[in-house]
């Protein structure tokens, strides 16, 4: 067997891993988009579909891990190739977690559905999801092209998602203060909003991993601040609900 | 250089990785315990200490990853040794995440502190944290001894944590319905409780990883159900607050 032949099998293995990551990314995106659609339109059947799809990502992650480890053991790659495989494992874990967040949102659809959701709130959630999904889509494109500069840009864009999340957080508190009957559904919506906000963090983690795969080091500079809603304090009802 | 000598350097490298994981585990445990203590006793200085310690785990995870990858590249380990190193990387990521959850709880101390916390609620949170920390401690002991049977037992114990979390979730909703002034602090407490509940999930992930390191396969059987509070629906105030 010529060495070119061995190299080409190895390339095939790396391509296989990349393809599986792209597939996982597509499934995760779809699950998140569907979960938010199910939430906003109180669609229990769609929510159930999302919940049942979680196993696809669990299996994909396990298969990627197994393939990655077999590849390392057989090919004993050095430097860049080893980083490539290690990065793949890490990205698969991030995407599996994005699917979990979609599933968790879907699981709350029934608890939210009883109360009709105010239009403004639904728009806020949709907007948050749009931004998070855009970030996820971009990072998957960067994965396909391995553009280091773009990977850095994505990492710096989490602030916008955080600002919208914090404003949704405040809005949900206001609804809860206006009417105690809103408390239970809005609590579930708070967790849904948090799930969506977390997707941005996972996209950022993936961007950092791509940067590492290409360069062998972590991106420099402060990582964007996480969730500023942790310090939201509303003194009383009148102040909060204006 | 004799082959015994090479093996002994390699053993040293594996021991180094194990030691760093144990250290990370100790730091993560301490951060979580301190964050809950800060929350229950409204101790802003302790909360600040927890927040500042997060960087310790970030750095430790990065150092473990670097060392692990260098070890794979230099030693080109096969089968069990490769799994050992890959497992170490995964456990470091789980522990880093546990530290993040402690930090996030600590960040909410200021927002909660304004309102005095009912004694019953504080006890519930402390009990939840005790169980989660016990699970984390046990799994770190299992890591030190590599006992596969114990790893399986830990994985099956998440149900108790979930039951307490769901009962805390209901209790917090009740407080919110009783008085709108409770809504903001109780919302932050909901997230704190969720953070603590998540630690149980990470302990379970670590237990699964240890099982994988020892056997090369995933533990069989259903993974314990996650968070059943997602379906909590309380119809109205009088029903929920009795």
């Amino acid at each position: 067997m010529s060495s070119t032949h061995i190299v080409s099998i190895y390339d095939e293995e790396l391509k296989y891993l990349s393809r599986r990551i792209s597939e996982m990314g597509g499934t995760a995106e779809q699950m998140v988009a569907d979960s938010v659609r199910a939430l906003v339109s109180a669609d229990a059947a769609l929510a159930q579909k999302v919940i049942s799809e979680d196993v696809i990502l669990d299996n994909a992650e396990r298969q990627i891990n197994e393939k990655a480890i077999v590849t390392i053991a057989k090919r004993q790659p050095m430097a860049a190739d080893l980083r490539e495989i290690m990065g793949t494992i890490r990205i698969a874990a991030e995407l599996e977690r994005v699917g979990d967040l979609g599933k968790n949102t879907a699981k709350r659809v029934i608890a939210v559905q009883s109360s009709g959701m105010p239009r403004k709130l639904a728009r806020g959630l949709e907007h948050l999801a749009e931004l998070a999904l855009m970030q996820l889509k971009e990072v998957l494109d960067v994965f396909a092209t391995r553009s280091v500069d773009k990977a850095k840009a994505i990492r710096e864009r989490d602030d916008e998602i955080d600002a919208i999340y914090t404003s949704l957080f405040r809005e949900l508190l206001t609804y809860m203060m206006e009417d105690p009957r809103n408390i239970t559904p809005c609590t579930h919506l708070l967790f849904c909003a948090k799930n969506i906000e977390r997707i941005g963090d996972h996209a950022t983690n993936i961007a950092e991993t791509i940067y590492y795969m290409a360069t062998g080091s972590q991106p420099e500079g402060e990582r964007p601040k996480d969730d500023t809603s942790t310090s939201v304090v509303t003194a009383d009802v009148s102040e909060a609900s204006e």
Side-chain angles (χ1 to χ4, degrees), chain A residues 19-33 49-65 88-89 91-104 136 140 199 206:
Chain A
R19 199 178 64 239
R20 294 303 306 271
I21 289 287
S22 297
E23 283 170 10
M24 276 189 87
T27 305
E29 277 184 84
Q30 189 61 51
M31 281 175 71
V32 171
K49 175 174 168 279
V50 173
I51 293 167
S52 70
E53 281 167 346
D54 187 52
V55 70
I56 300 174
L57 293 185
D58 290 350
N59 289 339
E61 189 199 359
R62 194 173 47 247
Q63 288 158 8
I64 287 171
N65 281 349
T88 302
I89 290 175
I91 293 172
E94 298 288 342
L95 291 173
E96 191 274 331
R97 187 71 198 120
V98 170
D100 276 350
L101 293 169
K103 180 179 76 169
N104 186 277
L136 185 60
L140 290 167
I199 291 164
I206 294 173

Side-chain angles (χ1 to χ4, degrees), chain A residues 6-140:
Chain A
I6 291 174
V7 168
S8 107
I9 290 173
Y10 181 44
D11 274 355
E12 283 304 312
E13 286 170 341
L14 292 184
K15 268 187 205 151
Y16 168 85
L17 290 173
S18 285
R19 199 178 64 239
R20 294 303 306 271
I21 289 287
S22 297
E23 283 170 10
M24 276 189 87
T27 305
E29 277 184 84
Q30 189 61 51
M31 281 175 71
V32 171
D34 284 348
S35 72
V36 175
R37 205 149 53 84
L39 192 67
V40 167
S41 58
D43 184 338
L46 185 58
Q48 202 46 57
K49 175 174 168 279
V50 173
I51 293 167
S52 70
E53 281 167 346
D54 187 52
V55 70
I56 300 174
L57 293 185
D58 290 350
N59 289 339
E61 189 199 359
R62 194 173 47 247
Q63 288 158 8
I64 287 171
N65 281 349
E66 281 166 10
K67 184 72 174 177
I69 289 176
V70 168
T71 303
I72 293 173
K74 273 201 314 198
R75 310 288 168 209
Q76 311 197 325
M78 304 293 285
D81 286 341
L82 182 54
R83 286 204 309 269
E84 168 81 21
I85 298 174
M86 302 302 276
T88 302
I89 290 175
R90 214 184 296 177
I91 293 172
E94 298 288 342
L95 291 173
E96 191 274 331
R97 187 71 198 120
V98 170
D100 276 350
L101 293 169
K103 180 179 76 169
N104 186 277
T105 298
K107 284 169 83 176
R108 294 181 192 272
V109 166
I110 308 276
V112 170
Q113 154 184 68
S114 44
S115 68
M117 195 188 300
R119 192 63 214 139
K120 192 181 163 201
L121 206 55
R123 263 210 212 107
L125 279 169
E126 283 169 336
H127 187 39
L128 184 68
E130 251 165 49
L131 284 177
L133 283 170
M134 198 194 298
Q135 215 186 4
L136 185 60
K137 192 182 153 30
E138 277 175 4
V139 86
L140 290 167

